[in-house]
Amino acid sequence: MTKKIELAPENNKLCEKICSISGEVVTMCDQCGTCSASCPMAAEMDINPSEMMKMSQLGMEEVLETKAIWLCASCFTCVVRCPRGLDLSKVAEALRQIKLRQAEDHMDIKKLTIEELEGLPQIALISACRKFTG
Amino acid sequence: MKETKSKKLDPEKVMERIAEASRPTVAGVEEKDVRHWVTIYVMGRGYSVPADLTILTAMEYAGYKFIRGCGCRQGFCGACSTVYRRHGEYKLQTGMACQTRVEDGMYLVQIPFSPAEKASYDISKEAYKVNTLLKHYPELARCVACNTCTKACTQDLQVMDYIQAAIRGDFETCVNESFDCIQCGMCALRCPAEIVQYNMAQLARRLYGRNDRPEPKHLTDRLKEIEQGKFVKPLDEITKKSKEELEKLYYSREKESD
Amino acid sequence: MSQTKIAYYPGCTLKTTAKNFEDSALAVARALDIELVELPKWNCCGTVYSLTDDNLMYHIAPVRNLLRVKQMVRDELVTDDHRMVVLCSMCYNALKRTNLRVKENPEDLQKINDFMYLEDDDYELNVDVIHFLDLLKEIGVEKIREKVVKPLNGLKVLPYYGCMLLRPKEVGIDDPEEPNLQENILAALGAEPIDSPYRKVCCGSYLTVDNKYVVVELAYKILSHAQKAGAQALTTSCPLCAFNLDNRQKEIKEKYPGFKNIPVFYFTQLMALAFGLSNECYGFDLHHTKPEPLLKEKQLC
Ligand code: SF4
Ligand code: SF4
Ligand code: FES
């Protein structure tokens, strides 16, 4: 038997949360795949950006455990190309924030080696802290 | 429940003991001499205390004894940090208990310690580079420039400015802006980025002092004198003196001009 | 004509690993009769624009910088009363986008201003954030060409844009798909701009901190495509791109032994070179792949 799922943010808690943190109405995504085709990180990701959108629409908790949300580099390539005018970088940020706001950091800066810390430019460290620590 | 034979408490005696425990410990304050009283709330409990006391002495007046959270009583050691709110205000205030006068309706608590890790380094081997501070305190990179540390600083330092200077390896600004820090820890407790400002600044000052300042001649000279044993005899003499003699010596000592 | 004085936001990295970017840009600006006046008191802008809708904390840092311009105007430190120039692409993006956000959301701005009650001024939306390349465009390639004393003849350069200069559209300084600002400048300097779709592809940005091998792959792709297209060097205006494309060549070489190193410049370094400015502002010692051999070969240094 097939089950019909109504795609609407208010039907699902996680979906609603993603929408409210990101300010994007994820249910507007048509799954055309333009973002996945554009994303420079897609090759490294465990799910494609468009799958990230789909899982967000459905409010699937598993999306929070994917590598993809941490591989999005906020390069905005998908953002300038999405035919629906959606901002996927904001959705990925919302997914990261949901984790970070539960005090589940993605990175421990204290684990970086001295050599790494000495070589990295300030902007690298600062942006990584913003994106990967809460 | 097993029944226990409890000794009947004599309410009279209990009250006496409580009164004894909260007897003014502040020298020279007699209740009858006090004209103005204020009420302060320490950890939620109200106490009526003489209006001209500092938080520290007022708490002692109210019966608290300080084993920790008190040191110099002169505003230098940084041990007696306190957070408080004034009645009718939403702002959280910070201050040194030994330097801050009580106010009517103040809610307060002592924060005697701020848990923090300190980087370990061998100052003689440590590199003096723009990234050295970030290397030991990478959490500096989390600063959001909210300025909460500056608002919290009990010494009115521009804490955010010294943190920002540290991020970009500007030792001089970091050192000058943090010079008067007494390491009370209030900034670190309020920082949303969980930075330990004062420990970082100490490293900055040490590195700067070692690498960017001329060697102080008077210090080198004095060290030489110590090595040569110039002070052995005077020190011996001093340790044999009585309390009165010591006091006399102390008050007649030569003071450095400002 | 009196010299234009305009507010300038450096950013942390331009004081450290990208000091050569700042030095060369300031020298180039001076040669073009512009004085970039550093904000008297600035703080880290946060480097990445916060993409959430519900958290204002991360927008405080950029706004705090923007309000300094008013003080500069009041103290007559600048002649341009409403613009702030940024060199670093990341800072540019973060500052510009935050500025747009508070312009569109007066309530957010009100909250931020209230929060910053210790500041002498409120931020009053009086500032436009521009990139140094915007300023150069305004000056025009003609004037740039006039200043060239040592044309970069025969130097084939891929102008790398990366992300933060171009995207999103409302922040981009040029067409996000077909930019040509850097191309025009390079051509004016006598160099030959090389085309490659990879000039707009992300270098992996801050992933370099926790996942450097992703960056190594991307940087390898970008650099080897550039070389295939004939480039002998790249230019950028982002110290993080510079780090990923230049310093990570060490790891690229370990993984792909056949890889040939290629120098990465800040575009202002090439301008300084062509303008014949003092070599104190080049700062080649900060490069991983040293540019001197290439420049010697082209008789440029
Ligand atoms: S900088 Fe921090 S530790 Fe130092 S005096 Fe101020 S609040 Fe206390
Ligand atoms: S409180 Fe922390 S985050 Fe805020 S300005 Fe100070 S150091 Fe930075
Ligand atoms: S007891 Fe030392 S500062 Fe208050």
Side-chain angles (χ1 to χ4, degrees), chain B residues 64-106:
Chain B
Y64 288 84
K65 282 204 183 83
F66 290 102
I67 297 163
R68 281 200 64 107
C70 171
C72 66
R73 292 175 179 264
Q74 303 287 333
F76 284 120
C77 76
C80 64
S81 334
T82 303
V83 290
Y84 60 92
R85 276 197 168 89
R86 293 190 181 98
H87 180 59
E89 276 186 9
Y90 70 86
K91 285 201 172 107
L92 193 62
Q93 311 284 350
T94 58
M96 301 320 290
C98 70
Q99 300 299 301
T100 314
R101 179 97 75 85
V102 286
E103 290 170 47
D104 198 36
M106 198 180 225

Short mmCIF file of all heavy atoms in Angstrom, two decimals, chain B residues 64-106:
data_model
loop_
_atom_site.label_atom_id
_atom_site.label_comp_id
_atom_site.label_asym_id
_atom_site.label_seq_id
_atom_site.Cartn_x
_atom_site.Cartn_y
_atom_site.Cartn_z
N TYR B 64 29.24 35.13 57.23
CA TYR B 64 30.01 34.28 56.33
C TYR B 64 31.48 34.34 56.70
O TYR B 64 31.99 35.39 57.11
CB TYR B 64 29.85 34.73 54.88
CG TYR B 64 28.50 34.41 54.30
CD1 TYR B 64 27.41 35.26 54.50
CD2 TYR B 64 28.30 33.25 53.57
CE1 TYR B 64 26.17 34.97 54.01
CE2 TYR B 64 27.05 32.94 53.06
CZ TYR B 64 25.98 33.81 53.27
OH TYR B 64 24.76 33.50 52.77
N LYS B 65 32.15 33.21 56.55
CA LYS B 65 33.60 33.21 56.77
C LYS B 65 34.25 32.84 55.45
O LYS B 65 33.80 31.94 54.75
CB LYS B 65 33.97 32.15 57.81
CG LYS B 65 33.70 32.58 59.21
CD LYS B 65 34.58 31.81 60.19
CE LYS B 65 34.24 32.20 61.62
NZ LYS B 65 33.06 31.45 62.12
N PHE B 66 35.31 33.53 55.10
CA PHE B 66 35.94 33.25 53.81
C PHE B 66 37.18 32.40 53.97
O PHE B 66 38.16 32.81 54.59
CB PHE B 66 36.29 34.55 53.09
CG PHE B 66 35.07 35.26 52.62
CD1 PHE B 66 34.56 36.35 53.31
CD2 PHE B 66 34.38 34.80 51.51
CE1 PHE B 66 33.41 36.99 52.89
CE2 PHE B 66 33.23 35.42 51.08
CZ PHE B 66 32.74 36.52 51.77
N ILE B 67 37.10 31.22 53.42
CA ILE B 67 38.26 30.35 53.41
C ILE B 67 38.90 30.48 52.03
O ILE B 67 40.10 30.56 51.87
CB ILE B 67 37.85 28.90 53.68
CG1 ILE B 67 37.25 28.82 55.09
CG2 ILE B 67 39.05 27.96 53.55
CD1 ILE B 67 36.46 27.59 55.36
N ARG B 68 38.04 30.55 51.02
CA ARG B 68 38.50 30.90 49.67
C ARG B 68 37.71 32.11 49.23
O ARG B 68 36.77 32.53 49.87
CB ARG B 68 38.27 29.73 48.72
CG ARG B 68 39.33 28.67 48.85
CD ARG B 68 39.35 27.82 47.60
NE ARG B 68 39.72 28.62 46.44
CZ ARG B 68 40.89 28.53 45.84
NH1 ARG B 68 41.78 27.69 46.27
NH2 ARG B 68 41.17 29.25 44.78
N GLY B 69 38.13 32.67 48.09
CA GLY B 69 37.35 33.80 47.58
C GLY B 69 37.68 35.08 48.29
O GLY B 69 36.90 36.03 48.27
N CYS B 70 38.83 35.13 48.92
CA CYS B 70 39.27 36.36 49.57
C CYS B 70 40.78 36.29 49.73
O CYS B 70 41.32 35.24 50.04
CB CYS B 70 38.60 36.49 50.92
SG CYS B 70 39.28 37.84 51.90
N GLY B 71 41.43 37.40 49.49
CA GLY B 71 42.89 37.40 49.61
C GLY B 71 43.40 38.70 50.15
O GLY B 71 43.37 38.96 51.34
N CYS B 72 43.77 39.58 49.24
CA CYS B 72 44.46 40.81 49.62
C CYS B 72 43.58 41.84 50.31
O CYS B 72 44.06 42.68 51.03
CB CYS B 72 45.06 41.42 48.37
SG CYS B 72 43.81 42.00 47.20
N ARG B 73 42.31 41.80 50.05
CA ARG B 73 41.35 42.81 50.55
C ARG B 73 41.68 44.22 50.06
O ARG B 73 41.25 45.21 50.64
CB ARG B 73 41.30 42.82 52.08
CG ARG B 73 40.69 41.56 52.65
CD ARG B 73 40.76 41.55 54.16
NE ARG B 73 40.15 40.31 54.64
CZ ARG B 73 38.88 40.24 55.03
NH1 ARG B 73 38.12 41.29 55.00
NH2 ARG B 73 38.38 39.09 55.42
N GLN B 74 42.46 44.30 49.03
CA GLN B 74 42.87 45.60 48.52
C GLN B 74 42.54 45.77 47.03
O GLN B 74 42.99 46.70 46.39
CB GLN B 74 44.38 45.79 48.67
CG GLN B 74 44.90 45.65 50.07
CD GLN B 74 44.54 46.85 50.92
OE1 GLN B 74 44.36 47.94 50.41
NE2 GLN B 74 44.43 46.64 52.22
N GLY B 75 41.84 44.79 46.47
CA GLY B 75 41.48 44.92 45.05
C GLY B 75 42.57 44.53 44.09
O GLY B 75 42.52 44.89 42.92
N PHE B 76 43.57 43.79 44.56
CA PHE B 76 44.67 43.43 43.66
C PHE B 76 44.72 41.96 43.30
O PHE B 76 45.20 41.60 42.24
CB PHE B 76 46.01 43.79 44.31
CG PHE B 76 46.31 45.25 44.25
CD1 PHE B 76 46.50 45.98 45.41
CD2 PHE B 76 46.39 45.89 43.03
CE1 PHE B 76 46.76 47.34 45.36
CE2 PHE B 76 46.66 47.25 42.98
CZ PHE B 76 46.84 47.97 44.14
N CYS B 77 44.28 41.10 44.22
CA CYS B 77 44.58 39.69 44.01
C CYS B 77 43.58 39.00 43.10
O CYS B 77 43.87 37.97 42.52
CB CYS B 77 44.68 38.96 45.34
SG CYS B 77 43.09 38.64 46.10
N GLY B 78 42.40 39.55 42.96
CA GLY B 78 41.43 38.97 42.03
C GLY B 78 40.69 37.78 42.58
O GLY B 78 40.06 37.04 41.84
N ALA B 79 40.73 37.59 43.91
CA ALA B 79 40.11 36.38 44.47
C ALA B 79 38.63 36.55 44.78
O ALA B 79 37.91 35.58 44.86
CB ALA B 79 40.85 35.97 45.74
N CYS B 80 38.18 37.78 44.98
CA CYS B 80 36.86 37.96 45.59
C CYS B 80 35.77 38.39 44.59
O CYS B 80 34.89 39.16 44.94
CB CYS B 80 36.97 38.97 46.72
SG CYS B 80 37.45 40.60 46.14
N SER B 81 35.85 37.87 43.37
CA SER B 81 34.86 38.29 42.36
C SER B 81 33.43 38.01 42.83
O SER B 81 33.15 37.00 43.45
CB SER B 81 35.04 37.54 41.05
OG SER B 81 36.34 37.12 40.88
N THR B 82 32.58 38.93 42.47
CA THR B 82 31.17 38.83 42.85
C THR B 82 30.32 39.22 41.64
O THR B 82 30.70 40.11 40.89
CB THR B 82 30.87 39.85 43.97
OG1 THR B 82 31.75 39.59 45.05
CG2 THR B 82 29.44 39.75 44.44
N VAL B 83 29.21 38.53 41.48
CA VAL B 83 28.23 39.04 40.51
C VAL B 83 26.99 39.46 41.26
O VAL B 83 26.63 38.86 42.26
CB VAL B 83 27.84 38.00 39.42
CG1 VAL B 83 28.98 37.75 38.48
CG2 VAL B 83 27.35 36.71 40.03
N TYR B 84 26.39 40.53 40.78
CA TYR B 84 25.19 41.01 41.47
C TYR B 84 24.26 41.70 40.50
O TYR B 84 24.66 42.11 39.40
CB TYR B 84 25.56 41.94 42.61
CG TYR B 84 26.33 43.18 42.23
CD1 TYR B 84 25.68 44.38 41.94
CD2 TYR B 84 27.72 43.16 42.16
CE1 TYR B 84 26.38 45.52 41.60
CE2 TYR B 84 28.44 44.29 41.81
CZ TYR B 84 27.77 45.47 41.53
OH TYR B 84 28.47 46.59 41.18
N ARG B 85 23.04 41.81 40.91
CA ARG B 85 22.08 42.65 40.21
C ARG B 85 21.53 43.64 41.20
O ARG B 85 21.27 43.29 42.36
CB ARG B 85 20.93 41.81 39.63
CG ARG B 85 21.24 41.19 38.31
CD ARG B 85 19.97 40.72 37.60
NE ARG B 85 20.25 40.38 36.22
CZ ARG B 85 20.63 39.16 35.82
NH1 ARG B 85 20.77 38.19 36.69
NH2 ARG B 85 20.87 38.93 34.54
N ARG B 86 21.34 44.87 40.73
CA ARG B 86 20.71 45.85 41.60
C ARG B 86 19.20 45.66 41.51
O ARG B 86 18.69 45.23 40.49
CB ARG B 86 21.06 47.27 41.15
CG ARG B 86 22.51 47.59 41.33
CD ARG B 86 22.73 49.08 41.09
NE ARG B 86 24.14 49.38 41.23
CZ ARG B 86 24.98 49.47 40.20
NH1 ARG B 86 24.56 49.31 38.97
NH2 ARG B 86 26.25 49.73 40.41
N HIS B 87 18.54 46.04 42.56
CA HIS B 87 17.09 45.94 42.57
C HIS B 87 16.50 46.76 41.42
O HIS B 87 16.88 47.90 41.21
CB HIS B 87 16.58 46.46 43.91
CG HIS B 87 15.10 46.40 44.04
ND1 HIS B 87 14.42 45.21 43.93
CD2 HIS B 87 14.16 47.37 44.22
CE1 HIS B 87 13.13 45.45 44.05
NE2 HIS B 87 12.94 46.75 44.22
N GLY B 88 15.62 46.12 40.66
CA GLY B 88 14.95 46.84 39.58
C GLY B 88 15.75 46.96 38.30
O GLY B 88 15.35 47.68 37.39
N GLU B 89 16.91 46.30 38.22
CA GLU B 89 17.72 46.38 36.99
C GLU B 89 17.86 44.99 36.39
O GLU B 89 17.90 44.00 37.11
CB GLU B 89 19.12 46.91 37.32
CG GLU B 89 19.18 48.40 37.37
CD GLU B 89 20.62 48.88 37.55
OE1 GLU B 89 21.55 48.06 37.45
OE2 GLU B 89 20.76 50.09 37.80
N TYR B 90 17.96 44.93 35.06
CA TYR B 90 18.17 43.61 34.46
C TYR B 90 19.65 43.33 34.22
O TYR B 90 20.05 42.20 34.01
CB TYR B 90 17.40 43.48 33.14
CG TYR B 90 17.94 44.33 32.01
CD1 TYR B 90 18.97 43.85 31.21
CD2 TYR B 90 17.44 45.60 31.77
CE1 TYR B 90 19.48 44.63 30.19
CE2 TYR B 90 17.95 46.38 30.77
CZ TYR B 90 18.97 45.90 29.97
OH TYR B 90 19.49 46.67 28.99
N LYS B 91 20.47 44.35 34.28
CA LYS B 91 21.89 44.15 33.95
C LYS B 91 22.62 43.41 35.06
O LYS B 91 22.46 43.71 36.24
CB LYS B 91 22.56 45.49 33.73
CG LYS B 91 22.18 46.05 32.40
CD LYS B 91 23.16 47.08 31.89
CE LYS B 91 22.80 47.42 30.49
NZ LYS B 91 22.20 48.73 30.32
N LEU B 92 23.45 42.48 34.63
CA LEU B 92 24.25 41.73 35.57
C LEU B 92 25.55 42.51 35.81
O LEU B 92 26.25 42.85 34.86
CB LEU B 92 24.56 40.35 34.97
CG LEU B 92 25.12 39.30 35.91
CD1 LEU B 92 24.13 38.99 37.02
CD2 LEU B 92 25.42 38.02 35.13
N GLN B 93 25.85 42.80 37.05
CA GLN B 93 27.04 43.58 37.36
C GLN B 93 28.11 42.67 37.94
O GLN B 93 27.80 41.62 38.50
CB GLN B 93 26.72 44.66 38.39
CG GLN B 93 25.51 45.51 38.08
CD GLN B 93 25.79 46.53 36.99
OE1 GLN B 93 26.94 46.73 36.59
NE2 GLN B 93 24.75 47.15 36.49
N THR B 94 29.34 43.10 37.79
CA THR B 94 30.43 42.34 38.38
C THR B 94 31.29 43.29 39.19
O THR B 94 31.33 44.49 38.91
CB THR B 94 31.32 41.71 37.30
OG1 THR B 94 31.82 42.76 36.47
CG2 THR B 94 30.58 40.71 36.46
N GLY B 95 31.97 42.76 40.16
CA GLY B 95 32.87 43.61 40.93
C GLY B 95 33.70 42.78 41.88
O GLY B 95 33.46 41.58 42.04
N MET B 96 34.70 43.44 42.48
CA MET B 96 35.47 42.76 43.50
C MET B 96 34.77 43.03 44.83
O MET B 96 34.51 44.19 45.18
CB MET B 96 36.91 43.28 43.53
CG MET B 96 37.65 43.12 42.19
SD MET B 96 37.35 41.57 41.33
CE MET B 96 38.19 40.41 42.39
N ALA B 97 34.46 41.97 45.56
CA ALA B 97 33.70 42.13 46.79
C ALA B 97 34.40 43.05 47.78
O ALA B 97 33.76 43.77 48.54
CB ALA B 97 33.45 40.76 47.42
N CYS B 98 35.73 43.06 47.75
CA CYS B 98 36.45 43.89 48.72
C CYS B 98 36.46 45.36 48.32
O CYS B 98 36.90 46.21 49.09
CB CYS B 98 37.87 43.38 48.91
SG CYS B 98 38.94 43.64 47.48
N GLN B 99 36.00 45.67 47.10
CA GLN B 99 36.06 47.05 46.62
C GLN B 99 34.69 47.65 46.34
O GLN B 99 34.57 48.82 46.03
CB GLN B 99 36.88 47.11 45.32
CG GLN B 99 38.31 46.65 45.46
CD GLN B 99 39.07 47.49 46.45
OE1 GLN B 99 39.19 48.69 46.27
NE2 GLN B 99 39.57 46.87 47.50
N THR B 100 33.66 46.81 46.39
CA THR B 100 32.34 47.28 45.99
C THR B 100 31.45 47.49 47.21
O THR B 100 31.30 46.58 48.03
CB THR B 100 31.68 46.25 45.05
OG1 THR B 100 32.64 45.85 44.08
CG2 THR B 100 30.46 46.83 44.36
N ARG B 101 30.88 48.66 47.32
CA ARG B 101 30.03 48.97 48.46
C ARG B 101 28.67 48.30 48.28
O ARG B 101 28.15 48.22 47.17
CB ARG B 101 29.87 50.49 48.52
CG ARG B 101 29.00 51.01 49.63
CD ARG B 101 29.79 51.45 50.84
NE ARG B 101 30.47 52.73 50.60
CZ ARG B 101 29.88 53.91 50.77
NH1 ARG B 101 28.61 53.99 51.12
NH2 ARG B 101 30.56 55.01 50.59
N VAL B 102 28.08 47.83 49.39
CA VAL B 102 26.74 47.23 49.30
C VAL B 102 25.71 48.30 48.97
O VAL B 102 25.89 49.48 49.26
CB VAL B 102 26.32 46.55 50.63
CG1 VAL B 102 27.06 45.25 50.83
CG2 VAL B 102 26.50 47.48 51.81
N GLU B 103 24.65 47.86 48.31
CA GLU B 103 23.55 48.78 48.00
C GLU B 103 22.25 48.10 48.42
O GLU B 103 22.17 46.87 48.40
CB GLU B 103 23.50 49.07 46.50
CG GLU B 103 24.65 49.93 46.01
CD GLU B 103 24.70 50.00 44.50
OE1 GLU B 103 23.65 50.23 43.87
OE2 GLU B 103 25.79 49.80 43.94
N ASP B 104 21.27 48.90 48.72
CA ASP B 104 20.02 48.32 49.19
C ASP B 104 19.35 47.51 48.08
O ASP B 104 19.24 47.95 46.94
CB ASP B 104 19.07 49.45 49.65
CG ASP B 104 17.98 48.89 50.55
OD1 ASP B 104 18.27 47.95 51.33
OD2 ASP B 104 16.84 49.38 50.46
N GLY B 105 18.95 46.31 48.43
CA GLY B 105 18.24 45.47 47.47
C GLY B 105 19.13 44.72 46.51
O GLY B 105 18.65 44.17 45.51
N MET B 106 20.42 44.68 46.78
CA MET B 106 21.36 43.99 45.90
C MET B 106 21.23 42.47 46.03
O MET B 106 21.13 41.96 47.14
CB MET B 106 22.74 44.42 46.40
CG MET B 106 23.88 44.26 45.51
SD MET B 106 25.33 44.86 46.47
CE MET B 106 26.13 45.83 45.23
#
